[in-house]
Amino acid sequence: MTAPHCDAPDFDALETGEVVAQAVYSLSRDSLVRYAGASGDFNAIHYRDDVAQSVGLPGVLAHGMLTMGLAVQPVVDWAGDPGRVVDYRVRFTKPVFVDPSDGAEVSVEAKIGALDVDARTARVDLTVRYGETTVLGRAQAQVRLD
Amino acid sequence: MTVNPELQGRVFEPTAPYLVGREKVREFARAVFAVNPINVDVQAARDAGYADIVAPPTFAIVVQEKTLAQLLAEPGSGIELSHVLHGEQRFSYTRPIVAGDELTATLTVTSVKALGGNAMVTAESQMTDAAGDHVVTATSVLVVRGDA
């Protein structure tokens, strides 16, 4: 049996550098259309190759905000509650191109970057890769644990 | 066209209240691959102490977008969507967004900096609930390419 989702990790047992979550996401063109509709971001470079190519890109790329949005999900699952993520920041450093037939795989590794004992908050540092390329810089989530 | 440096410090009019719909939260949660029950299941959210389902951490972008539209529509700003790249994004929460919230967002342009032929614009949107209490601040750094 898995623990109830509201169970939080034990703050006092955490160690800096510890990997707390990992995940791989398969993006397809469908994922981009779904995110466009859900978010209201209908920039055509996220679903039309001709428009993407007209601005010098090889083809359609994922919304940076989709990559940011999915990259924090392993942290949410580890924390047990989306409300425990009190701060989340990223830099968008490289695009994720999504092939029309093969899609794209994005991997996420979440590691404890720092622990604030007084605030009982863990800074979780994310490494987000598309193939061998790191696509987000300084991706950090602050997670408050009771 | 270059970004108007006088935008720095500019505070825009608060947006009309945005009602956070339960199905919108579910739709957004699915789009960002969220699988936590508190994002989609009302009972799970209530069991965890929330009034309704909790939006994923990046949901605030949906409301922030209303303020970025104000910035892009500003006459003489020198910011055109086709020249804008999203450089950085941050969300700082006082409390999570839950379905049923009515959020009002107020945009401040906190910084305009020249960077080579480009400009970096920092747009900070403070969101408050119907009681006027702070919920989240969403901050975007936009890189606006020059026409050089």
Side-chain angles (χ1 to χ4, degrees):
Chain A
M1 284 294 287
T2 53
H5 283 273
C6 53
D7 273 9
D10 179 3
F11 181 86
D12 297 311
L14 297 176
E15 288 181 25
T16 302
E18 181 185 352
V19 174
V20 292
Q22 283 179 299
V24 177
Y25 296 94
S26 296
L27 295 181
S28 64
R29 291 284 171 94
D30 307 43
S31 316
L32 308 193
V33 173
R34 184 183 297 284
Y35 186 78
S39 67
D41 181 345
F42 291 102
N43 189 332
I45 61 171
H46 303 303
Y47 54 90
R48 276 181 56 180
D49 284 312
D50 60 328
V51 174
Q53 285 158 4
S54 75
V55 294
L57 297 164
V60 157
L61 68 161
H63 306 74
M65 286 305 306
L66 170 55
T67 306
M68 183 182 186
L70 65 83
V72 77
Q73 295 307 322
V75 179
V76 168
D77 294 334
W78 166 73
D81 180 340
R84 292 195 175 112
V85 177
V86 294
D87 190 289
Y88 180 35
R89 68 187 303 171
V90 308
R91 284 184 182 155
F92 302 102
T93 52
K94 295 284 181 189
V96 174
F97 294 108
V98 181
D99 184 84
S101 48
D102 296 339
E105 276 205 342
V106 175
S107 69
V108 181
E109 184 183 81
K111 176 190 289 195
I112 301 295
L115 295 166
D116 183 333
V117 177
D118 294 331
R120 307 217 26 108
T121 300
R123 193 189 83 211
V124 181
D125 296 349
L126 302 174
T127 303
V128 183
R129 289 196 182 93
Y130 159 57
E132 297 302 306
T133 309
T134 299
V135 295
L136 299 180
R138 207 167 122 194
Q140 299 177 342
Q142 298 279 353
V143 180
R144 188 176 297 143
L145 300 170
D146 303 319
Chain B
M1 197 177 199
T2 53
V3 174
N4 184 353
E6 289 177 11
L7 276 177
Q8 181 163 309
R10 177 80 192 277
V11 181
F12 286 70
E13 284 295 307
T15 56
Y18 177 97
L19 177 59
V20 179
R22 186 186 284 165
E23 300 307 335
K24 188 68 187 176
V25 170
R26 286 184 172 137
E27 183 188 2
F28 190 90
R30 186 175 176 195
V32 294
F33 298 78
V35 294
N36 192 283
I38 296 170
N39 288 132
V40 290
D41 180 337
V42 176
Q43 196 55 54
R46 289 189 178 146
D47 289 348
Y50 299 104
D52 209 308
I53 58 174
V54 174
T58 59
F59 180 83
I61 193 72
V62 176
V63 186
Q64 188 192 5
E65 198 277 330
K66 316 287 177 203
T67 64
L68 297 177
Q70 289 178 307
L71 179 61
L72 291 167
E74 180 68 10
S77 70
I79 303 174
E80 280 182 48
L81 183 59
S82 59
H83 288 62
V84 175
L85 295 173
H86 199 173
E88 297 177 35
Q89 181 66 37
R90 182 174 193 172
F91 302 101
S92 294
Y93 282 90
T94 300
R95 68 157 176 87
I97 295 172
V98 298
D101 276 339
E102 268 193 33
L103 300 176
T104 300
T106 305
L107 168 66
T108 303
V109 177
T110 55
S111 158
V112 177
K113 284 180 196 159
L115 185 80
N118 301 331
M120 284 177 73
V121 177
T122 305
E124 186 183 284
S125 301
Q126 303 261 0
M127 298 179 207
T128 53
D129 61 19
D133 293 327
H134 180 263
V135 176
V136 57
T137 298
T139 307
S140 296
V141 177
L142 306 174
V143 181
V144 185
R145 286 184 286 119
D147 275 337

